[in-house]
Amino acid sequence: LLGLLVSFQHEGALSIRRGFTVPIFDEASKLRVLPPPVITDLDGDGKNEVLLLSTRETLTVINPAQIRRSYFDFTELHGKLEAAFISNCIGFASGYLEKYNTTKGTARKQIVVAVTDDYTVFAYNHNLQMLWSERLPDLDDGSFQPTHASVMVLPHDIHREDKGLIVVGVDTRSSANPDEHSGEDRQVHFSYYALNGENGELRWKHDASSF
């Protein structure tokens, strides 16, 4: 199943039906461990979408409602929305910037946040329309290579004028070859950044220079 996202639908206590596949045509993407898909209701309509990487540089929203009911075949699904990057995406997530308000009477819509290996954070609305992009500070000095990013989107304000909080953690490894005679491994750092959800302004950081 290399290069395929495979889904099974579960109905009833013991019934599992074939669901869908999402083909990955980019050969280089098949050789990498892509961030896992996210299943969530982005637009608040009560129906889940699947947010995934169809290539290293393409974030895609899949609508599982397109699945044809069949016991024998998988349905091949293609994205209804896409966002493309210049660099490789190493992590993404979705979440709410606004707190839940029972008196408002309207469904909340999520935003999507992605991080690429050139240390850029991208924020999109529920339709994958870009809201803003910001470069993480003091990371790209050429001595470390990012391998993975973790993202949290939270309805929490640090400053009164903020709108939500985005926390990004980037796993970086030294790009220099270890000394074979010393037996030392490459250096590994995990740096944290907190950004204002509305515009990506930095609120705090804890990176390699903080140790």
Side-chain angles (χ1 to χ4, degrees):
L1 299 179
L2 183 64
L4 293 176
L5 170 67
V6 179
S7 167
F8 289 91
Q9 295 171 282
H10 176 264
E11 295 182 5
L14 297 174
S15 174
I16 296 179
R17 295 185 179 184
R18 289 174 171 83
F20 62 86
T21 64
V22 179
I24 297 177
F25 298 108
D26 178 31
E27 293 299 324
S29 295
K30 296 179 182 180
L31 301 177
R32 296 172 60 96
V33 178
L34 299 179
V38 173
I39 301 174
T40 188
D41 181 7
L42 290 173
D43 53 11
D45 65 352
K47 300 177 181 178
N48 283 333
E49 289 84 30
V50 181
L51 184 66
L52 55 87
L53 287 176
S54 54
T55 74
R56 295 170 299 163
E57 304 95 359
T58 308
L59 191 62
T60 303
V61 173
I62 299 292
N63 182 9
Q66 301 172 1
I67 298 174
R68 298 188 304 269
R69 302 290 179 176
S70 172
Y71 284 99
F72 306 103
D73 298 311
F74 287 102
T75 300
E76 185 175 300
L77 296 185
H78 298 276
K80 66 174 184 176
L81 300 170
E82 288 188 345
F85 309 106
I86 297 177
S87 302
N88 299 326
C89 181
I90 56 174
F92 62 90
S94 68
Y96 300 101
L97 292 179
E98 298 178 348
K99 295 180 176 67
Y100 181 69
N101 189 338
T102 56
T103 63
K104 216 170 185 181
T106 57
R108 291 185 299 171
K109 300 184 187 302
Q110 299 188 46
I111 70 164
V112 177
V113 178
V115 182
T116 56
D117 64 0
D118 61 354
Y119 304 103
T120 303
V121 180
F122 297 88
Y124 302 89
N125 67 10
H126 62 283
N127 286 322
L128 289 191
Q129 297 170 332
M130 187 183 294
L131 301 173
W132 51 262
S133 66
E134 285 292 331
R135 189 76 169 265
L136 295 175
D138 304 328
L139 265 179
D140 193 13
D141 61 357
S143 60
F144 286 87
Q145 177 68 31
T147 58
H148 171 75
S150 297
V151 183
M152 292 184 66
V153 182
L154 303 169
H156 173 75
D157 304 332
I158 293 182
H159 295 172
R160 181 174 297 177
E161 67 274 12
D162 288 355
K163 183 180 178 182
L165 177 68
I166 296 169
V167 180
V168 176
V170 181
D171 185 7
T172 57
R173 298 174 184 271
S174 172
S175 58
N177 291 324
D179 187 339
E180 296 180 359
H181 301 288
S182 67
E184 295 181 356
D185 295 329
R186 292 182 178 181
Q187 286 185 303
V188 179
H189 292 294
F190 201 85
S191 302
Y192 298 90
Y193 298 84
L195 311 174
N196 177 13
E198 185 173 30
N199 52 26
E201 289 183 353
L202 183 69
R203 289 295 175 253
W204 54 259
K205 67 175 181 174
H206 184 83
D207 57 17
S209 63
S210 305
F211 293 94

